[in-house]
């Protein structure tokens, strides 16, 4: 008979050895299982003591990221100069860049505008006149991209050319390679898109903006510029349906906030470099748009 010890002397030496081995194996297996259980309990205890490990995290938009259509893009530029940021499209650009965590330097003419913009996160508002090239250059120094939406005039001078030209020239002096110039449909190759009656009313404005475009295109061939020509501007909330297009016959309306959105997307898109693009919103009914015409969207 086999007692509980598993060994009986009369079984012989070989039997004793075999049962001893079996006992040792069982004891080792039991020890390994106990050790594994202790390790598992210790691991669980460590995790439970740090509850953050078990908290599911929602997706976070990284600082400097652009979210569009459910996709987050990492911005290529960290400090952007904006001329014309006190109102209109420029103001929307400053707000959007600020919300995305991008440092912004905004050149403005009025103390009131400087105070308002200065309240935004990451925005440095500099009081100055875009008619003065050195003022523009000093404000832009340290930025790695420039956006200008300048437009308007004094009694005898148009900022549409002089101011935009100063931005372009300053970028060239400082080595700021990325420039986005916002002008208007009706300039340059898009002249035929504007109805004659509209062109005549805006002739001086469009010709001044076109001169700035030509400076950028002809003399800054090493820069990564983009020219964006919006259609008729509206001030209602953005629809998110606006497009950029290389079709220079395109005409229509677009909200200022949508233009700003397209500008920022273009800023981060290498495919828009050295491109002249019109900006319209096909979802907005426009009296000047050609009914039924399909406008091909440029892939940003």
């Amino acid at each position: 008979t086999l007692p509980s010890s598993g060994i009986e002397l009369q079984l012989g030496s070989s039997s004793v050895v075999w049962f001893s081995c079996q006992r040792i194996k069982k004891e080792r297996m039991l020890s390994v299982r106990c050790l594994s259980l202790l390790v598992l309990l210790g691991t669980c205890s460590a995790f439970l003591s740090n509850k953050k490990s078990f908290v599911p995290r929602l997706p976070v938009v990284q600082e400097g990221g652009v979210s569009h259509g459910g996709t987050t893009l990492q911005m290529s530029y960290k400090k952007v100069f904006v001329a014309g940021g006190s109102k209109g499209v420029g103001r929307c650009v400053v707000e959007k860049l600020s919300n995305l965590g991008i440092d912004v330097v905004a050149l403005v003419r009025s103390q009131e505008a400087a105070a308002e913009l200065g309240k935004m996160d990451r925005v440095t508002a500099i009081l100055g006149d875009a008619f003065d090239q050195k003022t523009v250059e000093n404000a832009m120094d340290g930025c790695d991209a420039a956006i200008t939406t300048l437009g308007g005039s004094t009694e005898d001078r148009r900022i549409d050319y002089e101011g935009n030209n100063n931005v372009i020239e300053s970028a060239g002096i400082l080595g700021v390679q990325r420039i986005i110039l916002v002008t208007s449909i009706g300039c340059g190759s898009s002249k035929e898109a504007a109805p004659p009656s509209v062109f005549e009313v805006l002739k001086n404005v469009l010709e001044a903006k076109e001169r700035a475009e030509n400076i950028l295109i002809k003399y800054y061939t090493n820069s990564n510029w983009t020219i964006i020509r919006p259609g008729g501007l509206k001030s209602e909330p953005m629809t998110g349906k606006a497009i950029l297009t290389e079709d220079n016959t395109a005409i229509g309306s677009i909200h200022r906030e949508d233009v700003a959105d397209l500008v920022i997307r273009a800023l981060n898109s290498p495919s828009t470099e050295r491109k002249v693009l019109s900006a319209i919103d096909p979802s907005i009914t426009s009296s000047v748009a050609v009914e039924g015409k399909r406008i091909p969207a440029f892939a940003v």
Side-chain angles (χ1 to χ4, degrees), residues 53-81:
S53 301
F54 290 91
V55 178
R57 297 186 178 184
L58 297 175
V60 176
V61 177
Q62 295 181 351
E63 183 178 286
V66 176
S67 180
H68 181 80
T71 301
T72 300
L73 304 176
Q74 192 66 25
M75 287 293 290
S76 302
Y77 304 95
K78 303 303 180 185
K79 191 174 185 180
V80 181
F81 172 82

Side-chain angles (χ1 to χ4, degrees), residues 15 38 150 154 177 192 233 288 300:
S15 298
L38 288 173
L150 288 170
T154 59
Q177 292 291 305
E192 300 303 319
L233 294 171
V288 296
V300 179

Side-chain angles (χ1 to χ4, degrees), residues 178-193:
R178 191 69 173 112
I179 308 169
I180 294 187
L181 171 62
V182 180
T183 58
S184 176
I185 288 179
C187 294
S189 58
S190 66
K191 179 179 179 180
E192 300 303 319

Side-chain angles (χ1 to χ4, degrees), residues 239 241-244 251-254 279-286 289 293 295 297:
T239 66
K241 298 178 181 179
I243 63 168
L244 293 173
I251 185 73
S253 299
I254 186 170
I280 62 167
D281 190 337
S283 71
I284 300 176
T285 302
S286 173
K293 181 179 179 179
I295 305 297

Side-chain angles (χ1 to χ4, degrees), residues 256-291:
R256 287 177 171 83
E257 192 179 353
D258 276 305
V259 178
D261 182 65
L262 291 173
V263 166
I264 293 173
R265 289 167 55 198
L267 175 67
N268 203 51
S269 172
S271 66
T272 66
E273 293 175 3
R274 298 185 182 88
K275 294 286 186 181
V276 180
L277 303 165
S278 295
I280 62 167
D281 190 337
S283 71
I284 300 176
T285 302
S286 173
S287 60
V288 296
V290 179
E291 187 176 356

Side-chain angles (χ1 to χ4, degrees), residues 1 17 32 61-62 65 81 87 90 92 101 115 117 132 135 141 153 174 182 190 192 208 218-219 234 253 260 275 293:
T1 60
V17 170
V32 169
V61 177
Q62 295 181 351
F81 172 82
K87 59 183 179 180
C92 293
L117 294 181
D132 183 72
T135 296
D141 194 9
S153 65
L174 295 169
V182 180
S190 66
E192 300 303 319
K218 292 180 180 180
Y219 300 110
K234 294 179 174 291
S253 299
K275 294 286 186 181
K293 181 179 179 179

Side-chain angles (χ1 to χ4, degrees), residues 233-249:
L233 294 171
K234 294 179 174 291
S235 297
E236 297 169 27
M238 66 181 292
T239 66
K241 298 178 181 179
I243 63 168
L244 293 173
T245 180
E246 290 186 282
D247 185 348
N248 56 26
T249 67

